[in-house]
Every structure is written in structure tokens, then in C-alpha cells.
Amino acid sequence: MSLPYGQTRTRVAARHALIAPDGHVKSSVPGITGAATVIVINGAMGARFAQLLVTFEAGGRADFSGGEIETAGYIESGGVTVKIGAEKAKCGAGGFFFAPAESGWSITAPKAGTRITLFQKKFQPLAGSVAPSPIIGDVRDVKGQPFLGDPDARLQVLLPDVPEFDLAMNIFTYQPGATLPFVETHVMEHGLLMLEGQGVYRLEDAWYPVAAGDAIWMAPYCPQWFVAMGKAPASYLYYKDVNRAAL
Ligand code: UGY
Ligand code: MN
């Protein structure tokens, strides 16, 4: 739905942000060609990671060499070929991948209009632990678990929940009327993309109507809560930093 001139649902606050698609502006990002890329979250906002929305044209591609940055990606629609080191697979909608720091990776052969969300962060190695391995998977193979006992709020944990991983990428699906059970306040930071449906997100002391396509940044300790509203389930993809020392 288009808004009257001069209006937007976007709000960028010091400790949280809602980025509605109506305000998107493309960036040229080294390594990505034949695509419209929007950097919806990054350090300029105050975040310690980046969230990119990439919409590929036919013939577009992404090529990144190994280094200190790790990348988790989720294919929202369309299809591509993902290669990470020696691993290579075709991924359709619902496909996801994790490219560890030090591994080069690429996305090629996109169907026109393919939408991919990328989360990128500087890897924090864990002393005495092996580095995480590349992953290419499909959300349909990941069972949703009731969140804190609620079968109407299901969590799919896409990456292994083991100490060597310093990030998580999850999908949360809520039946209409289901909620986060309490207002969470935690050290972990989030980047989020609404995939389906709608609801209301509480961020600090503000309540925002949100819908598919919206992106949200929550700084560490941003109080957060969600209720799914409307007649269809709501789901979101989100990033979280995990498994590292407090000091
Ligand atoms: O994993 C989480 O912290 C999740 N429960 N947070 C959220 O959905 N805002
Ligand atoms: Mn949370």
C-alpha cells in the first residue's frame, strides 16, 4: 500500500530501527553484480553486523573471497547456485547457507528476481575450538520446535547450536494471536526480516505495526516483544550473535 507523500513507517532510533521497504535505496557493493542491493543494517546505524537484501537479475552473481568476515544467507524467493569452498548446491526458496570466515563463496545462476538476505559479521574465533564448517541447507528439513512450550510459536534453528558458531540464523513462525511469551531484554543483538504475515513489534518503548518485507535492528538490551495479528501466520528470519564470553 502506498503512503501519502512525505510519510514512512521507517524509524531509525539510537538502539533500534524499523526499515520499511518504501524507503529502500540501493548501494553498489563490491563482489555483487547484476543485482539491486540494499544495506538495511550496518555499523553506520550502530550495529555490529550487516544485513543486506539482494535482488538478483538473470546473470547476476556474488563472489566473495575468504577473510575475517563470515556470511549467513537465506533465499526468500527464486533460486541460485551456492558454492562455498568445495561445497556446491542449487538452492530454491527456503534454501540457506553459511560461509565461514576464510572460505571464499559465490552465488551464481540466479533466477530473475531472486531475493536473498545476507547477514555478515566479523568472526570471533573461540580459543581451543575448530572453525565452523560450510553449510548449505533447506528450511523444509529443519523441524520447528515450540518456543518455551508454545506450539503456536515455532522456532527453526537453521545453523548448528554449538560453541564454534558465533552467530545464529533462525526462523520464528507465529499463529495469529501468538506472542513472544515475555518482553525479552538480552545482550544478543538482532537483525530481522519479516517473511510473511503481519503483527506488532515492541522495540524499547515503541510499538510498530510490521508486515512482510520490513527489516528491524535491535541493539543489545533492546527490550523486544511481538504479537502476530491478522488471519494468517506471521514469520520472520533473524540473526543473533551467540556463544562468546561476556568480557
Ligand atoms: O532468539 C531470540 O532472542 C528471539 N526469541 N528474539 C526475538 O524473536 N525477538
Ligand atoms: Mn530476542
Side-chain angles (χ1 to χ4, degrees), residues 38-243:
V38 182
I39 303 172
V40 287
I41 298 171
N42 82 353
M45 190 179 266
R48 297 176 302 184
F49 67 98
Q51 180 173 330
L52 291 75
L53 174 61
V54 188
T55 307
F56 284 100
E57 301 158 13
R61 56 186 294 145
D63 293 279
F64 285 81
S65 45
E68 52 185 12
I69 304 300
E70 59 189 349
T71 303
Y74 179 78
I75 294 103
E76 212 187 316
S77 64
V80 292
T81 299
V82 177
K83 186 168 185 293
I84 310 165
E87 305 249 337
K88 189 175 175 181
K90 285 192 174 168
C91 291
F96 64 88
F97 69 90
F98 171 73
E102 309 303 336
S103 291
W105 61 275
S106 67
I107 290 171
T108 54
K111 286 186 191 157
T114 294
R115 276 167 63 98
I116 299 190
T117 284
L118 301 175
F119 298 108
Q120 297 195 299
K121 83 181 278 290
K122 191 170 166 184
F123 176 54
Q124 244 187 293
L126 184 63
S129 166
V130 294
S133 303
I135 289 171
I136 304 177
D138 193 294
V139 78
R140 283 166 295 202
D141 301 326
V142 181
K143 197 168 162 15
Q145 303 293 344
F147 186 66
L148 299 180
D150 183 354
D152 289 336
R154 288 193 177 261
L155 190 62
Q156 287 166 290
V157 176
L158 304 187
L159 304 179
D161 185 14
V162 294
E164 52 263 37
F165 279 78
D166 70 344
L167 65 76
M169 180 170 66
N170 302 335
I171 293 181
F172 221 139
T173 303
Y174 299 76
Q175 296 307 307
T179 66
L180 265 182
F182 59 95
V183 181
E184 296 181 358
T185 306
H186 53 63
V187 65
M188 297 80 87
E189 192 174 12
H190 288 315
L192 181 155
L193 175 71
M194 289 294 298
L195 295 172
E196 292 185 311
Q198 59 192 33
V200 173
Y201 231 105
R202 176 186 174 155
L203 303 167
E204 301 182 86
D205 292 332
W207 281 258
Y208 299 96
V210 294
D214 288 348
I216 294 174
W217 169 57
M218 296 172 231
Y221 298 108
C222 169
Q224 57 200 254
W225 180 81
F226 178 69
V227 56
M229 298 181 76
K231 295 190 173 175
S235 75
Y236 54 76
L237 172 76
Y238 71 101
Y239 155 95
K240 173 173 182 176
D241 53 309
V242 292
N243 292 331

